[in-house]
Amino acid sequence: MNKLKNITLNEYINYLFVLYAFLLPISRAGISILTALLFVLWLFTKDFKNKIEFIKSNKVILYFLAFIGFSLLSLFWSNDVISGLEYVRKYWYFLVVLVIATTIQKKFIEYGISAFLAGLFISEILSYSIFFELIQWKNVSPNDPTPFMNHLQYSMFLAFASLLLLNRFFYENKMKWKVIYFLYFLIITSNLFLNGGRTGQAAFAVSIFVVGFLNVKNKIIALLSMFALVLSIFYTAYHVSPVFKTRFDTSINEIHKISQGSFCTSFGARLGLWIIGGEIFLQNPIIGTGVVKDMNDFVKIVEESYPNKDCIKHLPSYHNFYVQTAVHLGIIGLFLYLMIFYNLLKLKIQDRYYFTLMVIFVSVYSVSSLVENMFHEQFSAALLALFSGIFIAQNRIENEV
């Protein structure tokens, strides 16, 4: 009991941070409860004023706040304020960035990353069990075994986690751990291609070259080795995973249909969304139409000007956060959003492992956001909050030494 009394509020926050990282891949309720709890505890820490001063000096956090603030401001020119408030409400998950960035201690950063991988491992066990029909999990199909979240978000989680482990493989000196990391990398990568999320697969294919270029001195060898690894993974997946083979063949067929002018496919619908979104953006290029949850403007333009794209007017979003931001918030909002990631990449992190992990994360998240609204969904928003907070905390800790 005496030991518990001696634990400071900051230390409680550090322990809860590890729990938050563990629950992030597996519990919506866990994300919500711990986001609120961490933020409330943070408000009562003794060094709160110092933390506010740090926030004022950190451009990543300031651009987070500026983007959310501009989203709220856009309600003044939105055609549906209630819908807009419902849309912006989800951004409260980013409160945890303030807590992690200003409070987490050095040793807890690695604990948090390991806890995140442990939570994802539980998700994977369930995913494999569903795939092999060992268990039934709610309404989840063996053809798309994603137990806790949308398959698009889950595929991004898997893509990032697999490359995180590959990055660890390069930095680990002990052969035993190298083998463990590489085996876990293969397990997660296999799960990535057993699921139907092409988003994460695309992010993986692009970002694995980032891993190679950052960890292999000879860039030609890096290019060739990563290309060979990607080719072998995709070739194996095509011949082993029926889900991936079906999705890959469907993708080729969809591209053929698009070339013939048909937009009633997954890829075609996205392309149609982006074309019409671009038209709406050009009508309101500076500040956008204002944040809304619905797609009424989009539906109206489809009905009036694009009858051949009528099959896509029921879609709930633009499936591209860059397009969605440009439509809602114009050039100003898109600039603020991009500056979050630009300033993440500009963080001066001396520890090479964390620097490369940061670049990998930005790559995976940015590519994934091309085909889904990752910034606006609970799990993927929480993932960004966790790791952007970790990278800012690492930068803070190095400057404190």
Side-chain angles (χ1 to χ4, degrees):
M1 285 297 293
N2 289 331
K3 287 184 178 180
L4 288 176
K5 289 181 180 178
N6 291 330
I7 295 177
T8 66
L9 202 53
N10 280 334
E11 289 175 313
Y12 278 119
I13 289 172
N14 276 266
Y15 289 116
L16 287 172
F17 156 75
V18 176
L19 180 61
Y20 173 84
F22 173 73
L23 292 176
L24 194 153
I26 58 178
S27 175
R28 289 185 181 277
I31 292 171
S32 298
I33 293 169
L34 284 170
T35 296
L37 181 58
L38 284 165
F39 184 70
V40 170
L41 290 176
W42 179 74
L43 292 175
F44 291 95
T45 52
K46 290 183 178 179
D47 55 346
F48 183 70
K49 288 185 179 179
N50 293 333
K51 291 171 181 175
I52 295 299
E53 290 302 314
F54 174 79
I55 287 170
K56 290 179 181 178
S57 68
N58 186 270
K59 289 185 178 180
V60 180
I61 297 176
L62 291 178
Y63 275 108
F64 262 116
L65 296 175
F67 178 82
I68 296 169
F70 190 66
S71 298
L72 287 167
L73 184 64
S74 77
L75 296 176
F76 284 104
W77 58 87
S78 170
N79 60 20
D80 188 345
V81 175
I82 301 301
S83 170
L85 281 171
E86 179 65 19
Y87 183 91
V88 176
R89 180 185 63 83
K90 285 191 175 183
Y91 292 155
W92 81 281
Y93 294 114
F94 292 112
L95 289 174
V96 79
V97 175
L98 307 177
V99 182
I100 297 172
T102 60
T103 311
I104 301 310
Q105 300 167 11
K106 174 65 178 176
K107 66 179 181 180
F108 284 94
I109 290 179
E110 195 56 39
Y111 294 163
I113 294 175
S114 297
F116 167 75
L117 291 173
L120 192 62
F121 184 68
I122 291 174
S123 178
E124 284 190 274
I125 292 173
L126 288 172
S127 180
Y128 277 113
S129 298
I130 294 166
F131 177 78
F132 289 110
E133 300 186 52
L134 300 177
I135 63 170
Q136 288 185 335
W137 185 264
K138 300 177 181 178
N139 296 319
V140 179
S141 167
N143 293 323
D144 192 16
T146 55
F148 297 108
M149 64 186 86
N150 179 288
H151 68 270
L152 298 174
Q153 297 169 57
Y154 188 54
S155 68
M156 185 186 71
F157 271 64
L158 294 173
F160 172 62
S162 67
L163 297 178
L164 185 160
L165 289 161
L166 187 60
N167 191 54
R168 277 191 175 184
F169 169 83
F170 281 106
Y171 281 89
E172 180 57 54
N173 293 319
K174 295 182 180 179
M175 183 55 64
K176 178 184 75 173
W177 284 106
K178 271 185 174 290
V179 172
I180 291 172
Y181 289 146
F182 193 74
L183 288 175
Y184 194 13
F185 162 76
L186 292 177
I187 291 170
I188 292 183
T189 304
S190 298
N191 195 3
L192 173 62
F193 288 92
L194 289 178
N195 287 276
R198 289 175 290 188
T199 299
Q201 293 162 7
F204 173 87
V206 172
S207 301
I208 196 170
F209 287 95
V210 175
V211 179
F213 284 128
L214 290 173
N215 288 291
V216 180
K217 290 183 178 179
N218 188 310
K219 303 311 175 189
I220 295 176
I221 293 176
L223 177 64
L224 293 176
S225 60
M226 291 302 111
F227 182 77
L229 184 58
V230 168
L231 194 63
S232 61
I233 289 172
F234 274 74
Y235 178 84
T236 303
Y238 185 81
H239 288 87
V240 172
S241 171
V243 176
F244 178 72
K245 183 180 187 304
T246 300
R247 299 286 281 179
F248 185 86
D249 290 342
T250 300
S251 299
I252 299 299
N253 187 44
E254 288 178 355
I255 293 171
H256 177 68
K257 287 183 178 180
I258 291 171
S259 67
Q260 295 179 328
S262 173
F263 290 85
C264 296
T265 63
S266 180
F267 281 167
R270 281 179 166 82
L271 182 59
L273 286 164
W274 304 340
I275 291 171
I276 299 170
E279 182 175 319
I280 298 173
F281 162 71
L282 291 174
Q283 294 172 2
N284 309 272
I286 307 302
I287 59 174
T289 61
V291 168
V292 289
K293 187 178 180 181
D294 58 57
M295 295 279 284
N296 291 339
D297 289 342
F298 172 82
V299 172
K300 183 178 179 181
I301 288 180
V302 171
E303 290 175 345
E304 292 177 352
S305 306
Y306 294 94
N308 65 320
K309 297 183 179 68
D310 187 69
C311 59
I312 67 173
K313 70 180 184 181
H314 66 282
L315 295 171
S317 73
Y318 289 97
H319 286 280
N320 180 316
F321 199 71
Y322 306 101
V323 173
Q324 186 136 320
T325 300
V327 170
H328 286 172
L329 302 174
I331 292 173
I332 295 175
L334 184 59
F335 171 78
L336 293 174
Y337 176 72
L338 293 174
M339 287 300 287
I340 295 171
F341 296 94
Y342 173 74
N343 282 285
L344 257 180
L345 292 174
K346 284 196 68 179
L347 285 174
K348 293 181 180 179
I349 296 178
Q350 300 300 320
D351 189 311
R352 188 68 184 173
Y353 167 74
Y354 286 106
F355 174 78
T356 55
L357 185 60
M358 177 178 67
V359 178
I360 293 163
F361 179 80
V362 171
S363 175
V364 171
Y365 206 93
S366 299
V367 173
S368 299
S369 295
L370 286 168
V371 289
E372 187 57 28
N373 298 330
M374 295 299 179
F375 194 86
H376 190 255
E377 300 298 331
Q378 184 192 32
F379 280 106
S380 47
L383 183 70
L384 176 58
L386 173 67
F387 280 94
S388 58
I390 284 174
F391 300 135
I392 298 168
Q394 177 65 28
N395 168 259
R396 169 181 56 79
I397 291 164
E398 289 183 356
N399 288 327
E400 288 173 349
V401 175

